[in-house]
Amino acid sequence: MNSRNQAVFSNARATGFVRINRASWIDTLRVVAAVMVPTAAKGVIIRRPIMERLAQRQDLDTGAVRQMQRLVKKYGRAPLLLPIPFRPQLLVLDPADVSTVLECSPQPFATATWEKRAALAHFEPKNVLISPASRRAELRPIHEHALASADRLHPSSARFKTIVDSELLEILDGIGSGGPNELDWSAFSLAWFRIVRRTVLGDRARNDVTLTKTLNDLRSRANWAFAASIDRHKLRQFQQQLGQYLRQPEEGSLIGRLPKGSDFDLESQVAQWLFAFDAGGIAVFRTLALLACHPSYWAKAVDEVKDPELERPFTRNCLLEALRLWPTTPVILRELTEDIRSGDRTVARGTGVIIFAPFFHRDPELAYANRMEPSIWGPNDTLPTVGFVPFSAGAAICPAHNLVPAIASFAIGALLSQADITLLQPSLTVGDLPGTLNHFDIRLRLSRQRVGAGAPHAAAGFPPH
Ligand code: HEM
């Protein structure tokens, strides 16, 4: 055991790895049925509308959290070994262990798990997330540089804001000129993916819907992971399409900040960006739905838009709340790179580690578990010691953890400063927000207004904040 791992284990001992419990077969089955199957069925790589609808109707996410709480009552907070045949998993149940696992990635808690490799191989086989530690050390810095991970505002922020404003203005213009004043996910996502292509690849990619469609086809297969064969023809086609942009990167785009040359499998790195921005759009749309029924938060967010400062900490925190309430990465997976001993139990190298974020984000002991409370984030975007990890934490934290909230706050500001927004569907009770919010079925009514005027109309049945 090297000194690094020695430290990990003493750290682990201090935070609860001193003990590892083993779940009974029946409890293991319950976790598989109530937590793992619904999460996978909703679509881990691309959401399936039918399953999201079902999850919302059956309140499956609340059921999953309840199941996890039952386990804590029965076994305590120590990591719980689920003896799943051929694929045992350690379930993390203590926020302190969330911190340990994420801080100690990629060794001994590797990010490149068997499940992730099987899924991501369909569209980004050489991505940093599924690379061994030595390759990760080479790839991670290029993501951090291109996405300006350490900076609250990306150097191209002003350009990104112009892109966001112009694309969303088209939606608003439609309303002004007598177009439909309802905004649903399909209309919003068309504009959002234009923003994504221009931001990532440059203006000339604006209308390249074929690229997005090809990626989405690959993502749909990726939902099936090892159960579907890789469509190598389509993967090659996607990489060729992307290659055209990578060979002549537009200045000011995200790919314009990548190193030149073929050493970094850039197609695989950028595929993750295009894929992950989908989650950003989902989170923006849910934040709009939240703000539409929280007039006081709405007013604060509108105030921020009036300020010429590009950084918008309050709107940013609203987005983080949407991600806490409905995490777009509900499971963070790791894999042990070596055996862990705990008492007389040895957990073998290769065992999976599961952090199920909703369990921590919606802990019923928190007064604000099921309501929106932007203040909890302060200046942070990850709070691993309490288990709030929408962007993960530690060395493998999402390298866009600053970029996403910034672009999202531009999008939220562009819409709510210009229009009254009413949430038409679903009906939300602000004091008791649901476990699932199916973004495919969110419908907003936009009514154009003077810049900065007024607050949203709470539709009948939505209690004001
Ligand atoms: C709402 C939006 C997003 C959320 C909630 C999010 C969340 C996450 C999380 C939780 C991880 C860690 C996964 C793991 O450890 O298994 C991750 C990794 C990553 N994300 Fe994001 N992400 C978002 C958007 C983006 C965007 C837009 C980009 C790029 C433009 C991006 C780039 C990456 C990359 C490259 C990784 C892999 C990092 C590594 O393994 O070192 N993400 N993201």
Side-chain angles (χ1 to χ4, degrees):
M1 189 161 49
N2 63 33
S3 60
R4 167 110 174 104
N5 289 343
Q6 187 80 56
V8 166
F9 294 138
S10 51
N11 191 5
R13 221 168 278 128
T15 55
F17 271 64
V18 66
R19 197 183 158 77
I20 291 174
N21 294 314
R22 186 183 190 277
S24 67
W25 288 105
I26 185 76
D27 283 329
T28 301
L29 245 166
R30 283 187 177 128
V31 176
V32 171
V35 181
M36 295 180 180
V37 169
T39 305
K42 277 194 291 175
V44 178
I45 302 297
I46 190 166
R47 296 290 184 268
R48 299 180 173 108
I50 291 175
M51 297 314 294
E52 279 260 340
R53 195 164 300 146
L54 186 73
Q56 179 165 288
R57 201 168 297 153
Q58 304 291 323
D59 208 6
L60 294 182
D61 290 277
T62 308
V65 171
R66 216 173 282 134
Q67 187 58 243
M68 300 275 292
Q69 284 162 340
R70 211 186 55 78
L71 293 178
V72 171
K73 265 204 198 108
K74 182 165 175 186
Y75 296 96
R77 289 259 171 203
L80 187 63
L81 183 66
L82 306 174
I84 301 170
F86 308 112
R87 193 58 187 150
Q89 300 277 353
L90 261 187
L91 198 54
V92 176
L93 296 172
D94 191 325
D97 290 331
V98 172
S99 238
T100 302
V101 168
L102 297 179
E103 291 305 327
C104 299
S105 296
Q107 260 166 338
F109 299 105
T111 59
T113 70
W114 176 73
E115 296 81 1
K116 271 190 248 181
R117 280 195 299 268
L120 301 186
H122 285 270
F123 65 100
E124 48 182 41
K126 302 284 175 64
N127 185 263
V128 61
L129 256 172
I130 49 171
S131 297
S134 56
R135 180 67 172 153
R136 152 173 288 281
E138 293 167 349
L139 293 175
R140 175 78 195 187
I142 71 161
H143 286 272
E144 291 189 354
H145 174 75
L147 306 173
S149 303
D151 303 331
R152 269 284 192 249
L153 283 177
H154 192 279
S156 300
S157 287
R159 179 184 131 80
F160 297 158
K161 181 172 178 301
T162 308
I163 293 173
V164 169
D165 286 347
S166 70
E167 294 299 344
L168 296 184
L169 201 65
E170 278 201 13
I171 290 180
L172 292 162
D173 280 350
I175 298 164
S177 60
N181 68 350
E182 270 190 41
L183 185 62
D184 61 9
W185 171 253
S186 60
F188 175 77
S189 63
L190 285 179
W192 179 256
F193 277 104
R194 281 197 289 269
I195 293 171
V196 172
R197 288 188 297 269
R198 290 178 68 186
T199 306
V200 175
L201 305 173
D203 289 342
R204 74 193 153 103
R206 179 181 189 267
N207 297 322
D208 195 349
V209 285
T210 313
L211 180 78
T212 305
K213 163 94 176 61
T214 314
L215 176 57
N216 287 352
D217 289 347
L218 292 168
R219 289 171 62 195
S220 298
R221 290 182 85 84
N223 268 350
W224 294 98
F226 53 84
S229 62
I230 295 174
D231 185 339
R232 297 202 182 275
H233 173 70
K234 195 156 262 183
L235 176 59
R236 221 172 8 254
Q237 192 185 332
F238 171 67
Q239 293 186 329
Q240 278 164 2
Q241 287 167 346
L242 203 48
Q244 291 172 8
Y245 297 103
L246 289 168
R247 274 190 294 279
Q248 290 175 312
E250 221 173 274
E251 204 177 319
S253 65
L254 290 175
I255 59 168
R257 291 170 60 85
L258 285 170
K260 306 275 175 288
S262 57
D263 301 350
F264 299 103
D265 300 299
L266 293 182
E267 287 83 355
S268 274
Q269 312 314 322
V270 175
Q272 169 76 18
W273 301 355
L274 293 169
F275 144 62
F277 258 120
D278 191 3
I282 294 171
V284 166
F285 209 50
R286 286 176 175 155
T287 308
L288 289 169
L290 273 178
L291 287 171
C293 41
H294 289 82
S296 63
Y297 294 152
W298 167 290
K300 266 183 101 165
V302 169
D303 275 349
E304 272 190 341
V305 184
K306 292 180 193 153
D307 193 328
E309 187 59 52
L310 287 184
E311 203 184 323
R312 295 174 180 169
F314 180 74
T315 313
R316 188 185 183 93
N317 287 1
C318 292
L319 179 90
L320 290 169
E321 273 300 82
L323 286 170
R324 177 182 67 85
L325 292 160
W326 303 289
T328 51
T329 310
V331 277
I332 299 180
L333 302 178
R334 293 289 182 266
E335 192 168 285
L336 289 179
T337 58
E338 54 181 78
D339 297 356
I340 282 192
R341 285 185 58 77
S342 142
D344 54 1
R345 203 187 299 284
T346 300
V347 180
R349 171 175 186 239
T351 301
V353 179
I354 301 179
I355 296 171
F356 183 61
F359 169 64
F360 301 101
H361 292 193
R362 295 292 194 110
D363 180 349
E365 285 183 13
L366 303 167
Y368 50 80
N370 298 327
R371 61 181 169 81
M372 185 183 182
E373 192 57 70
S375 65
I376 61 175
W377 292 96
N380 308 294
D381 43 38
T382 182
L383 295 168
T385 51
V386 285
F388 296 176
V389 285
F391 288 103
S392 188
I397 188 172
C398 174
H401 66 103
N402 269 320
L403 178 70
V404 168
I407 293 186
S409 63
F410 299 154
I412 293 162
L415 288 174
L416 59 74
S417 63
Q418 303 269 332
D420 275 356
I421 301 182
T422 307
L423 178 61
L424 298 174
Q425 191 187 293
S427 172
L428 291 181
T429 304
V430 293
D432 187 20
L433 293 166
T436 311
L437 179 58
N438 168 18
H439 63 285
F440 292 110
D441 286 350
I442 292 176
R443 279 174 42 236
L444 303 171
R445 186 169 61 223
L446 305 191
S447 342
R448 200 99 204 234
Q449 56 156 240
R450 278 181 301 115
V451 177
H457 302 301
F462 305 150
H465 174 63

